[in-house]
Structure formats: C-alpha cells, structure tokens
Amino acid sequence: QQHHLKLVKKTKYKNWCVLLLLMIGLGSMILMFYYYKVREVANQERSYINIAASSEQIRDSSFFWGEHEIVQQIRPEENKITKFCIMFQRNMEVSAEGILHVELYDVQNDTVVQQWDLHESKIQGIDYQIFPLAQPLKNTAGRIYQIRVSASADCHAFPAVTNYKSYSYNAMVDGEQLFGTMVFNVQSDNAFLKPIYVAFSVILLLGVLCLGAAYILGIRRPEVYFLILGIFMGSMYIVLFPPNVAPDEHAHMAATYADVNKILMRDVTDEKGNVYVRATDADITEKMQLTLDNMAYDYGQLFKVTDTTMVSYNRAPIAVPMIAHLPQTVGVLIGNLFHMNGIWTLYMGKITALLFYLICIYFAIKILPWGKMIMAVIALFPMSLELAASYSYDCEVNALSFLFIAYTMYLIFEKNVVGWKDCLFLLVVGSWMAPCKVAYIFICGFAFAIPYRKFKNKKAALVFKVAFVSILLIATVGIRSTMIQGLLGSSDSSSTSEVGWTIGQILSDPVHSLGVLFNTYFEQMEYYVGTIVGKSLGWFQIEIPWHIIVGFILCLAYALYADAGKVMYLKKWQKALAIVLSVIMTGGIVLSMWLDFTPSYWGNVAGVQGRYFLPFLPMLLFTIKSKRTKYHENIENKIAIGMCTLQILTFFEVWLTILVQSE
C-alpha cells in the first residue's frame, strides 16, 4: 500500500511538471506571437478620420490667398490623437514669403492644445503637411476639437477644401460656413491592442492551467471539462468579438433594448417604430466588421461618460417574444440599473448570455446517460461559442435544444418512472425554445421517443404526449402568429417580390425546384459542414483554415467512442424518429430561406448556414451509436486537450485576420 501511495504521488508530481512545461511553452508562444506579430502593428499609426478628395473635388484655392482663417471642427471616435495631417495648396509661381499658423483647439475646455508655425516654402504645390503632438492627446472620444489655420497677408498657400460635404462638420472660412470640408486626417496608434492582448493571454493561460489541474486532481468528468473550456474559451470570444460582430447581432440588440424598456416601464418605440435607448447606447455605432479601426473604436468607448438621456435608436426591434433574448436582457438591465455606459452595458449582455449557455449545457451534459462528449464537442465548436457570447437568440435556441435533448435521453435510459415534474420540465424548456425559432419545434417531438413503459400506464403516456404537443403548439402559434401568417401569405403566387419565392412558384415547376434543391445540398455541402463548426466567423470575414475545421470534426468523430461502462444506444424506432425529425427541420430551414431570402433567378437556396443545424445535431449523431460500436474508456481527457488546442489555433487565426489589415 505504501508503494502504491508513493507511485501515485510520483505520477502526480510528473503530471504537475508536465503541466508546468506546457505552461512555459504556451507562454513562450504567446510572447513570440506578440513580438513578431502584435508589437509591430501596435506601434503603427493609422488614420481614423480621413477626408480625401480628387483634384476635381477641391475648390480653387486662389479665393483664400492672403489673410484668412479656416476652422475645421472634428469629433474623434477614438480615445487618442497622436498627429493630424492637412493638405495644402500653394501658388508655385510666386515667391514663398507667408506664414501659416496652425492650432489644435479644445472647444469644451476653451484651450489651445498645441500650435505650429509653417512657412509656406515647405509646401510644394499640392502637399500634405504633418502636425505631430508633443504628447499624445488621450480621452478624446466624443469630445469636440477644432483645427484652426490662419494665414498672413502675404501668403499664397491655404488648406485644400472640398467642394462637397464629406464630413459631419463643414469648414468655416473667416467665420462663414462653407459647403465643404477641409482635406485632412487624424491619426492614432494601435496601442489599444496591447491591453487586449494581455487580457487574451491571461485568459488563455488560466484556461489551460485549470484544465490541466482538473486532470491531475482526478476531476475527469465531461461536464467539468466543458465548463472549464466554456468559461475560458467563451470569455476569449467576448474579448476578441465586440458587440455587433456576430451575424445579425445589431437587430437582436435592438430587440433587447426594447425588452429592457418594457421591464423598466419606459416608452418602447417612437412614432417611426425605432426603439428608444439611452444616449450612451445610441452612441455605439454599428461596427459589423472585425477591423483595427472598429476594435479601436469599441476600446475607446469603454472610457466614455454615461449619458442616460432617452433618444431614438436607428433600428426597430425584430418581432420575437421577450423570452428570445431573456439572458441578454438581464445583462442590459443590469447595465441600465447601475448606469454603465453603452459599451459596458452591451458587454454585460454578452456575459449573461454566455453564463446562461454554460449553465444549460453543463447540466445537459451532466444528466446525459451517454454521448456526453458528443454534446460537449458540439457545444464547444467555434460557431457555438461565438453565438453563445452574442445577442443572437441562437444562444438560447442552442442551449435549450441541447438541454431538452439531454433530459429526454435521461428519461429514456435512466429514469424509472416519468412523473409530472419531468413532463413539466420538458414543457417549460420546449415552450421557451420553440417560439424563438419555430422550425425547431420538431426537436420537442423527440419526447415521443420516451417508451410507454416509463409511465405509470399507457393512458398516462398518451395524455402526456397529446397534452405536450397541444400546449406546445398553442404556445408557439400564439407567440409567433404574425410570423406564421406571413409565411402562409407567401403562398400567393401573384407576388412580384424580387427576393423570395412563393409556394406557388415552387410547386408550379417541380423539375426546376428539384434542381434548386439538388444544387443547395450538393454544391453547398462543403460550406454547410464548415460553417457548422465555424469556418466563417463574425460577419463571414474571418476564415478559419480547413485543417483546424477538420481537427474539430475528428474530435467529434472520436467522441462517438468516449462512453465507458454499460453500452447504451437508441432503439431502431427511436433512431428513425430522430432522423425523421432532423430531416423535417432541415427541410423547414431550407424552405424558410427559399421563401424569404432567395432571388427567383438563383440556382440554389440562398442564406442557409451551417449554424442552423446545430440545435438538433446531437440528437442526429446519437443515432450512430449501436451495440457494434466499440467504446473506449478514459479518452475524454484526450478530446478535451484536442478541443483546447484547436480553440487556441482558432484564436491566433482571428488575431492574424485582425493584424493583417494593417499591411
């Protein structure tokens, strides 16, 4: 026994040493990536207000020669100014004698930030001149500044002015407003990347440390692996993917704002139907692309003062029930109650969405009798985590669908007698999930896979299933009646809309319609498989390489063999039910995009994405298990390590996408 204890201690000591070496190696990789990739870009400067004009778009400067003053007002979107550049025009046919006095003026503080004197001899025809600040000007986002240029009487040079309005503020010459803008740009550095990279590095190292510690301490349950990876990897998606970056997130944000107004008993929308928000929320411009400029803008908003004045947002809320964005609504409500500014409030919504997702999936994996790693791998796909940390109602749909499937599996394989509390739980989860996206109501049909023998008697089973379906249909139709009426209205074959088919058009030419379906499933299959995992993240601009996507798929395939203990699998009729339900939902997804999104001249159904198949993917994959499937013990840790490694590679690909924009 003493020998065994010594052996155990020695093994743990070796494992801790391996983990330490792994942390050192990962830390070295993080430092090397910073030194060779991030550092150079972080020290670069770029323009974020850039007013340009062609020679035909610039006014004749001879009108401004002599003793004149031009004032250009600016409102920086970022939190720093390092320099600004002005385009000047000079008459090269006369001698250069004049002086141009340039000032950067802080309007709100009524002070001159810095001033320069420029001799016109330095200007060669049409020429940009650079005005660097001795000390970078910080906390500039949202403040008002002026670029003032005054010329001496003998000066034959003047800033170039456009003959069209290309900025919110027009230029003023000698106090008179012009219809045009000074040709200039304001520059900043990319130093904001450094704190973001530090946060990224700390989260990454902590995640690997916690995963390794759980393994060494003998905590090797799949739900624990999921929770560790979900917390830290999900947090990484919050850090790297600001609000508005996920697909259609801006529309879901508007719906969340509307729900918060209802809870706080405010006016929800204005006369145009646009939702009311605080002024600090309205200041958050929709930045849908993950670029350096947009990341710098969002970072600058973190330090902005809160303005609680109610104003109209530029969007109307989408027609979905309040329960569709309940987790995000809680976060935004917290931001409102604690008077957080707009960007912090939006991040609170992303955090509460991720927490809701993690809690649902944790308990789903915990109660699953088998197939735990199948569900864990799918829930940890890059696409799954991006949606989980966003304002999209896909966060709820995925979480509740997985929970419904897991609880049904629990009732099928482990619960001896299905009681009214079990029925009520399924009904609540199904009634919450199905109205968010009506196509997924068929996931609830998996409840029919519960055998009759699990109930007290056949009558109780029949009553449950009839009542379950009836209540679920009534709840869904009642909540989403407007959407369903719109879908049924699409059957009008007289519709002349250029986007969206009608049921009449589909049925009138079945040969052509079958060809469209053929193209959809066979020409787009690679795209669907890739986007189920997460090949295209954000607004489809972040492409993850196929070797990483294949790695995730291999982890999923390996998870099919990750169940130890008693061999369990669905019966043939239960598998058939799951497959039929999956086919119906696939058809419903394709049909909805066919009716609402596909131009009549397209050869395939447009708009279908792999993420739409995530809610029922675990149920479909459970049908692969059989008594002939070979099971292997203690491979969950290998799958978890593989998923962690692939997520790290994914994050560095996201960083490369961001950084390459500077080249």
Side-chain angles (χ1 to χ4, degrees):
Q1 187 176 2
Q2 290 180 351
H3 176 72
H4 176 72
L5 290 174
K6 288 182 179 179
L7 186 62
V8 170
K9 288 182 179 179
K10 187 176 181 180
T11 302
K12 282 190 175 181
Y13 176 76
K14 288 182 178 179
N15 288 337
W16 282 112
C17 290
V18 170
L19 179 59
L20 178 61
L21 291 174
L22 180 63
M23 295 294 293
I24 293 173
L26 180 59
S28 300
M29 184 179 74
I30 289 172
L31 288 174
M32 290 175 67
F33 189 86
Y34 172 79
Y35 186 82
Y36 290 108
K37 295 294 183 181
V38 179
R39 183 179 62 93
E40 181 180 356
V41 177
N43 293 330
Q44 289 177 355
E45 292 184 329
R46 64 190 157 74
S47 303
Y48 64 89
I49 301 178
N50 193 13
I51 308 302
S54 64
S55 57
E56 294 80 13
Q57 296 171 328
I58 297 177
R59 291 172 178 263
D60 183 358
S61 65
S62 61
F63 292 103
F64 304 121
W65 291 340
E67 193 173 359
H68 296 285
E69 181 186 50
I70 183 171
V71 176
Q72 176 64 58
Q73 189 158 292
I74 61 174
R75 187 179 185 183
E77 291 185 344
E78 294 189 15
N79 241 16
K80 183 183 287 187
I81 298 176
T82 57
K83 65 178 67 171
F84 60 91
C85 304
I86 303 174
M87 177 186 282
F88 288 90
Q89 288 181 297
R90 175 193 157 200
N91 184 359
M92 299 294 291
E93 297 179 358
V94 298
S95 60
E97 302 292 342
I99 300 293
L100 292 154
H101 182 72
V102 181
E103 293 180 350
L104 180 62
Y105 179 75
D106 186 337
V107 175
Q108 287 157 292
N109 291 331
D110 193 23
T111 57
V112 175
V113 177
Q114 191 170 332
Q115 52 189 335
W116 302 261
D117 284 325
L118 174 68
H119 197 279
E120 68 170 316
S121 61
K122 295 183 179 180
I123 302 170
Q124 303 299 317
I126 300 177
D127 192 14
Y128 270 106
Q129 294 294 317
I130 302 173
F131 300 92
L133 296 176
Q135 294 292 331
L137 193 60
K138 299 180 179 179
N139 301 319
T140 58
R143 297 179 64 84
I144 303 297
Y145 297 89
Q146 290 178 348
I147 298 174
R148 298 177 173 180
V149 182
S150 55
S152 60
D154 56 349
C155 190
H156 293 83
F158 205 70
V161 180
T162 68
N163 56 19
Y164 67 101
K165 184 176 181 179
S166 57
Y167 188 54
S168 302
Y169 306 101
N170 289 341
M172 296 185 65
V173 176
D174 298 333
E176 180 182 350
Q177 190 174 57
L178 299 178
F179 185 74
T181 308
M182 184 191 295
V183 181
F184 72 102
N185 63 65
V186 177
Q187 296 189 17
S188 175
D189 57 30
N190 294 319
F192 69 92
L193 286 175
K194 296 178 182 179
I196 293 176
Y197 192 78
V198 169
F200 160 82
S201 303
V202 171
I203 295 171
L204 181 55
L205 290 170
L206 284 176
V208 173
L209 178 62
C210 290
L211 184 65
Y215 174 77
I216 294 172
L217 296 174
I219 308 172
R220 302 179 185 180
R221 298 191 302 275
E223 62 268 23
V224 174
Y225 285 145
F226 165 78
L227 193 60
I228 292 173
L229 290 174
I231 289 173
F232 291 102
M233 301 305 164
S235 299
M236 218 90 73
Y237 281 91
I238 292 178
V239 170
L240 292 182
F241 290 80
N244 276 311
V245 172
D248 302 316
E249 192 168 17
H250 53 285
H252 295 284
M253 286 163 51
T256 303
Y257 287 137
D259 294 340
V260 170
N261 288 341
K262 294 173 186 176
I263 294 173
L264 296 177
M265 293 181 288
R266 299 170 176 163
D267 291 334
V268 179
T269 57
D270 61 15
E271 63 279 358
K272 296 181 180 179
N274 293 330
V275 66
Y276 280 117
V277 299
R278 302 173 303 167
T280 191
D281 303 314
D283 283 344
I284 310 300
T285 307
E286 292 179 0
K287 306 286 188 180
M288 301 179 194
Q289 300 293 319
L290 193 58
T291 64
L292 283 173
D293 287 344
N294 293 351
M295 287 189 72
Y297 170 81
D298 289 316
Y299 183 78
Q301 292 293 320
L302 294 174
F303 308 98
K304 199 165 185 181
V305 177
T306 303
D307 184 352
T308 58
T309 307
M310 298 304 292
V311 298
S312 291
Y313 195 45
N314 62 344
R315 285 192 174 275
I318 56 177
V320 292
M322 183 182 291
I323 56 175
H325 300 97
L326 189 56
Q328 296 91 335
T329 300
V330 171
V332 174
L333 183 62
I334 292 172
N336 276 255
L337 294 176
F338 286 89
H339 302 290
M340 297 179 181
N341 68 19
I343 197 71
W344 279 111
T345 299
L346 287 177
Y347 273 111
M348 283 301 303
K350 290 169 71 71
I351 291 170
T352 52
L354 179 62
L355 289 175
F356 174 83
Y357 180 83
L358 295 177
I359 292 170
C360 287
I361 304 300
Y362 172 81
F363 285 106
I365 296 172
K366 186 174 182 179
I367 64 177
L368 262 176
W370 54 269
K372 294 175 181 286
M373 288 307 295
I374 294 175
M375 184 166 285
V377 169
I378 296 172
L380 289 171
F381 278 164
M383 180 59 71
S384 301
L385 286 180
E386 182 194 16
L387 295 172
S390 75
Y391 277 80
S392 173
Y393 52 34
D394 287 342
C395 165
E396 280 187 55
V397 171
N398 291 346
L400 295 173
S401 297
F402 289 6
L403 185 58
F404 187 96
I405 293 168
Y407 201 80
T408 302
M409 293 283 287
Y410 163 72
L411 296 180
I412 292 172
F413 290 96
E414 290 196 355
K415 192 72 181 289
N416 293 325
V417 179
V418 177
W420 68 268
K421 292 181 180 179
D422 301 310
C423 302
L424 181 62
F425 182 82
L426 288 179
L427 184 60
V428 170
V429 174
S431 299
W432 187 351
M433 177 271 296
C436 299
K437 277 192 173 182
V438 177
Y440 300 121
I441 191 174
F442 292 97
I443 289 177
C444 301
F446 192 49
F448 284 87
I450 303 172
Y452 282 104
R453 60 181 174 80
K454 292 284 186 173
F455 297 87
K456 292 181 179 180
N457 50 58
K458 289 186 177 181
K459 183 179 179 181
L462 183 62
V463 169
F464 157 68
K465 293 180 179 181
V466 171
F468 181 77
V469 172
S470 301
I471 295 173
L472 199 60
L473 284 173
I474 291 171
T476 302
V477 172
I479 295 174
R480 299 304 301 273
S481 57
T482 303
M483 185 277 296
I484 294 173
Q485 289 174 2
L487 182 63
L488 295 176
S490 66
S491 61
D492 180 10
S493 60
S494 63
S495 174
T496 58
S497 176
E498 294 184 2
V499 177
W501 290 48
T502 66
I503 294 178
Q505 287 175 320
I506 294 172
L507 297 178
S508 64
D509 192 351
V511 175
H512 178 64
S513 299
L514 286 174
V516 172
L517 283 178
F518 180 88
N519 292 335
T520 300
Y521 285 107
F522 290 94
E523 293 185 5
Q524 302 294 316
M525 189 59 66
E526 178 184 337
Y527 173 76
Y528 298 152
V529 172
T531 52
I532 284 176
V533 178
K535 190 176 188 306
S536 296
L537 298 177
W539 274 90
F540 316 112
Q541 84 274 21
I542 301 175
E543 291 293 324
I544 305 302
W546 264 108
H547 66 270
I548 297 178
I549 300 302
V550 171
F552 281 110
I553 295 173
L554 289 176
C555 284
L556 182 58
Y558 204 29
L560 294 171
Y561 304 94
D563 290 293
K566 185 179 178 181
V567 176
M568 291 184 285
Y569 52 89
L570 293 170
K571 295 182 178 179
K572 290 183 179 179
W573 69 271
Q574 293 168 326
K575 291 182 179 181
L577 176 63
I579 292 171
V580 169
L581 292 172
S582 300
V583 170
I584 291 173
M585 285 183 281
T586 301
I589 291 166
V590 173
L591 180 62
S592 65
M593 301 307 293
W594 203 347
L595 295 176
D596 292 339
F597 199 76
T598 305
S600 58
Y601 53 85
W602 277 38
N604 59 276
V605 178
V608 180
Q609 301 168 34
R611 63 189 174 99
Y612 299 153
F613 306 111
L614 283 172
F616 57 89
L617 185 59
M619 180 180 69
L620 185 60
L621 290 180
F622 288 159
T623 64
I624 298 176
K625 290 273 192 176
S626 70
K627 61 183 178 181
R628 290 182 294 274
T629 306
K630 294 180 180 180
Y631 298 90
H632 300 275
E633 296 185 12
N634 301 324
I635 64 172
E636 291 90 347
N637 59 311
K638 297 181 179 64
I639 297 173
I641 292 171
M643 292 294 293
C644 182
T645 303
L646 291 166
Q647 284 286 7
I648 292 172
L649 294 176
T650 300
F651 294 135
F652 281 115
E653 287 293 334
V654 174
W655 271 107
L656 289 174
T657 302
I658 298 169
L659 298 175
V660 76
Q661 300 166 47
S662 65
E663 296 178 356

